[in-house]
Amino acid sequence: MYRFYCEEGVSFDGSIVLTGSDVNHIKNVLRMKQGECLIACDGNGKDYYCRIEDLEADRIVLKTEEVRQSESELPVHITLYQGLPKKDKMELIIQKAVELGAVRIVPVAMKRCVVKLEDERKEEKKRERWQAISESAAKQSGRGIIPDIAKTMNYQNALKDAVSHGMLLVPYERAEGMGTLKNAVKKLTAELGTSLELSVFIGPEGGFEEEEIASAITAGAIPVSLGRRILRTETAGLAALSILMYEIECAASGERSTNGSISG
């Protein structure tokens, strides 16, 4: 069933109004008619199963028939802190991170970042584009929320923000063995059912400076290994999110991976 986000909310009588580009998409691309069904999502985790009541020139009126909590969200809120990469890599990272379950993505200006966002207007325009990519990926993957793309932070501010959002994992090529990630995931999944938050911090193309890692560890971060190979910045975060998504989903559903968990 097609999914759309309702920015104007739900009225007291259960009706929902869709406006903007969704009107053209529903009427002229999907060619949907009065009486057909679709899902309207409030962007905060609730899905409204609706029937099209009226198609007007600039809006579409829906009638809610059922309300459900979205089943597509992970029980752990994951924020990805991404060292600014070159060119359009950030667009790919955002798209895939949203598909893999991240609820928030924070661009981070770090010492080895080649890209420098110093013009506020250009930065805001870029962030608007990144937010549009997030919304598009959320629609495509059936997310119950639209992950937020935060304003770019410097490293120290990002680190303070990250440690305030629960467990902080820092994939780092010098971390010793996959056991570090295994133990972190085991601790995390043992606490499912409570309000959990997790942050993942990824360095830019040049990696972390040693002093940045030292600051992270002092702040309480857990350095983890993603294997014996050095991954590109656009690969590292997605690898970490894939592992976390798999393990969290298995733990939440009572299933276990083939070997019980990540192999050590």
Side-chain angles (χ1 to χ4, degrees):
M1 195 178 294
Y2 295 112
R3 171 183 295 263
F4 299 89
Y5 291 95
C6 46
E7 296 180 359
E8 298 183 12
V10 184
S11 68
F12 69 92
D13 64 350
S15 63
I16 295 172
V17 176
L18 299 181
T19 57
S21 60
D22 286 339
V23 175
N24 178 67
H25 189 68
I26 291 170
K27 291 170 62 177
N28 301 320
V29 178
L30 299 178
R31 298 186 181 279
M32 297 185 75
K33 306 296 182 183
Q34 187 175 15
E36 292 192 75
C37 297
L38 54 78
I39 297 173
C41 178
D42 66 358
N44 293 308
K46 284 187 179 179
D47 290 340
Y48 295 80
Y49 288 73
C50 304
R51 192 174 298 277
I52 297 175
E53 191 169 65
D54 195 13
L55 294 100
E56 300 177 11
D58 58 353
R59 68 178 199 155
I60 293 175
V61 181
L62 310 174
K63 190 68 175 179
T64 301
E65 297 189 336
E66 184 180 0
V67 183
R68 300 181 193 173
Q69 199 67 28
S70 174
E71 297 179 352
S72 62
E73 296 304 309
L74 293 171
V76 178
H77 284 198
I78 302 176
T79 298
L80 175 66
Y81 294 82
Q82 173 66 52
L84 282 169
K86 294 184 291 186
K87 299 182 180 179
D88 58 356
K89 292 179 182 178
M90 193 67 180
E91 296 184 4
L92 172 68
I93 291 168
I94 289 170
Q95 182 188 68
K96 301 309 175 187
V98 170
E99 291 177 21
L100 291 168
V103 301
R104 183 167 169 255
I105 299 163
V106 182
V108 184
M110 300 169 64
K111 286 195 174 181
R112 295 185 181 178
C113 288
V114 175
V115 175
K116 307 293 181 184
L117 297 180
E118 297 174 346
D119 186 311
E120 287 189 14
R121 284 196 300 176
K122 287 183 178 179
E123 179 183 346
E124 186 56 30
K125 189 173 182 180
K126 189 176 285 287
R127 192 168 77 92
E128 288 175 2
R129 173 166 173 73
W130 289 343
Q131 189 63 58
I133 290 170
S134 174
E135 180 172 343
S136 177
K139 286 181 180 179
Q140 183 275 324
S141 56
R143 293 291 302 271
I145 67 167
I146 301 173
D148 178 57
I149 311 301
K151 289 186 177 180
T152 302
M153 297 184 185
N154 64 39
Y155 182 76
Q156 291 302 325
N157 287 341
L159 189 58
K160 290 177 184 178
D161 189 71
V163 296
S164 71
H165 287 85
M167 182 186 293
L168 171 55
L169 304 181
V170 181
Y172 183 50
E173 63 267 21
R174 295 185 184 177
E176 296 183 2
M178 292 290 282
T180 54
L181 182 56
K182 177 181 177 181
N183 292 334
V185 170
K186 184 177 180 180
K187 179 181 178 182
L188 181 74
T189 54
E191 298 175 2
L192 288 181
T194 61
S195 181
L196 292 177
E197 292 184 286
L198 169 69
S199 298
V200 179
F201 221 115
I202 303 296
E205 278 93 350
F208 290 98
E209 289 274 357
E210 288 189 16
E211 63 187 71
E212 289 174 332
I213 289 294
S215 295
I217 293 173
T218 300
I222 304 171
V224 297
S225 172
L226 296 177
R228 298 176 181 177
R229 293 151 300 284
I230 297 176
L231 304 180
R232 292 178 181 271
T233 186
E234 66 269 30
T235 308
L238 305 185
L241 289 175
S242 297
I243 292 169
L244 291 167
M245 179 190 70
Y246 178 73
E247 293 291 333
I248 291 168
E249 294 260 17
C250 284
S253 63
E255 300 174 2
R256 297 183 67 84
S257 54
T258 306
N259 296 316
S261 186
I262 301 170
S263 59

